[in-house]
């Protein structure tokens, strides 16, 4: 199924790979209230879809995402409106992390402010060599406070803070070195680089990845003892799943695991 007019286009292949495409190319895919609502609806749909295995989040046009829609923001300068807007954006960002499947950002062009935040919130990110990243709100007198939450959990503190206080762009190669993205590819090889990650993910049992992703983010917010307690319980539950029992037995038997026939 494919939508051609929606603010977020969606397509799903036979493997359960869900491709979501930001579709405001003339506005550099800025996150209007409508775009945020559309993203939230798509993430909610993926969360309910047990056949989904991975999400690839990309964008139409020349840019990945230029952040919030500044014209829309300026049209109603009230504290109540801004509180509701940033709460809506936070809900969308957290939805990425709460999904039971990995989310891969496919980045080209620019990813700025909340667009850079969106890249940071994705579990994995692959960028075209010509991509550039910035949290540039400070250049307009608006410190990118909400993006700072995501950046500080991806980059070192000093690297994140430098981006936040200077508002300057970094290249894809710099983003890779700082930990914002996983891989850099030539523009013509971007889809191939994304597919290599997708193929590695869909080859694994969905339940193991779902349990692992949830634990990964939970434990980051805990002290080390509590993190180990949670991780040990998660591994014990994971080990009782049929896929793990089969995987371990296959290793013992020196044969490939039989996790069923993948779709497609």
């Amino acid at each position: 199924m494919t939508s051609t007019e929606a603010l977020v286009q969606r397509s799903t292949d036979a493997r359960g790979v869900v491709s979501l495409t930001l579709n405001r190319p003339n506005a550099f895919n800025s996150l209007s209230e409508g775009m945020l609502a559309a993203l939230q609806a798509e993430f909610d749909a993926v969360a309910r879809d047990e056949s989904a295995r991975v999400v690839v989040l990309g964008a139409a046009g020349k840019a990945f995402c230029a952040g919030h829609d500044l014209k829309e923001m300026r049209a109603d300068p009230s504290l109540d409106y801004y509180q509701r807007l940033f709460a809506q954006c936070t809900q969308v960002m957290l939805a990425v992390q709460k999904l039971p499947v990995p989310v891969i950002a496919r980045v080209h062009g620019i990813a700025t402010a909340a667009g850079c935040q969106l890249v940071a919130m994705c579990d994995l990110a692959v960028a075209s060599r010509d991509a550039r990243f910035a949290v540039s709100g400070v250049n307009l007198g608006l410190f990118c406070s909400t993006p700072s939450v995501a950046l500080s959990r991806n980059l070192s503190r000093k690297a994140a803070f430098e981006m936040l206080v200077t508002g300057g762009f970094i290249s894809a190669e710099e983003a890779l070195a700082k930990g914002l993205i996983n891989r850099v590819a030539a523009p013509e090889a971007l889809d191939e680089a994304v597919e290599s990650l997708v193929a590695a993910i869909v080859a694994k049992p969905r339940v193991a990845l779902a349990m692992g992703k949830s634990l990964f983010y939970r434990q980051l917010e805990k002290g080390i003892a509590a993190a180990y307690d949670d991780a040990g319980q998660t591994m014990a539950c994971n080990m009782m799943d049929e896929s793990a029992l089969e995987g371990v037995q296959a290793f013992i038997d020196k044969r490939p695991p039989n996790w069923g026939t993948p779709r497609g």
Side-chain angles (χ1 to χ4, degrees):
M1 56 180 177
T2 304
S3 170
T4 57
E5 300 298 329
L7 289 173
V8 179
Q9 296 180 340
R10 175 177 178 167
S11 64
T12 306
D13 73 11
R15 300 173 296 173
V17 180
V18 179
S19 295
L20 300 179
T21 303
L22 306 180
N23 192 35
R24 294 186 74 206
N26 293 334
F28 296 100
N29 298 306
S30 58
L31 297 176
S32 64
E33 292 176 83
M35 176 75 89
L36 288 169
L39 269 175
Q40 185 70 58
E42 293 295 348
F43 291 148
D44 289 346
V46 172
R48 295 190 300 266
D49 184 359
E50 294 185 359
S51 69
R53 298 298 314 280
V54 62
V55 173
V56 177
L57 180 62
K62 296 180 179 181
F64 177 75
C65 179
H68 285 287
D69 188 323
L70 297 180
K71 290 182 178 179
E72 188 178 79
M73 288 177 67
R74 191 65 184 85
D76 184 15
S78 68
L79 180 60
D80 179 66
Y81 167 67
Y82 292 137
Q83 288 173 333
R84 286 186 286 107
L85 175 65
F86 292 124
Q88 180 188 23
C89 186
T90 293
Q91 183 178 11
V92 170
M93 298 295 170
L94 290 176
V96 177
Q97 192 165 295
K98 291 176 182 177
L99 283 179
V101 299
V103 181
I104 304 171
R106 177 197 181 281
V107 188
H108 73 289
I110 61 168
T112 56
C116 188
Q117 177 186 4
L118 185 57
V119 174
M121 286 302 296
C122 288
D123 306 301
L124 301 162
V126 181
S128 170
R129 187 165 289 121
D130 60 7
R132 296 191 301 153
F133 304 82
V135 276
S136 46
V138 71
N139 295 331
L140 308 177
L142 178 65
F143 192 87
C144 282
S145 297
T146 46
S148 78
V149 175
L151 280 183
S152 64
R153 283 162 171 75
N154 280 249
L155 284 63
S156 68
R157 290 186 181 186
K158 284 182 170 57
F161 199 71
E162 180 178 347
M163 288 185 68
L164 289 160
V165 298
T166 66
F169 278 95
I170 63 171
S171 68
E173 295 289 354
E174 289 173 304
L176 178 65
K178 292 177 186 295
L180 179 59
I181 62 176
N182 297 85
R183 302 182 184 183
V184 175
E188 65 274 12
L190 182 56
D191 287 330
E192 182 181 352
V194 171
E195 173 56 28
S196 69
L197 275 177
V198 167
I201 290 168
V202 298
K204 311 301 188 299
R206 185 183 192 273
V207 65
L209 295 181
M211 293 178 73
K213 175 176 174 176
S214 179
L215 178 278
F216 180 79
Y217 291 111
R218 286 200 313 272
Q219 63 86 21
L220 285 172
E221 304 303 323
K222 298 182 176 183
I224 191 167
Y228 267 116
D229 285 343
D230 195 349
Q233 181 65 22
T234 300
M235 285 200 77
C237 293
N238 191 169
M239 190 60 208
M240 292 304 297
D241 184 76
E242 290 182 4
S243 61
L245 294 171
E246 164 60 16
V248 172
Q249 190 61 50
F251 178 82
I252 294 170
D253 296 343
K254 298 181 179 180
R255 61 173 173 79
N258 180 14
W259 286 321
T261 302
R263 293 178 299 277

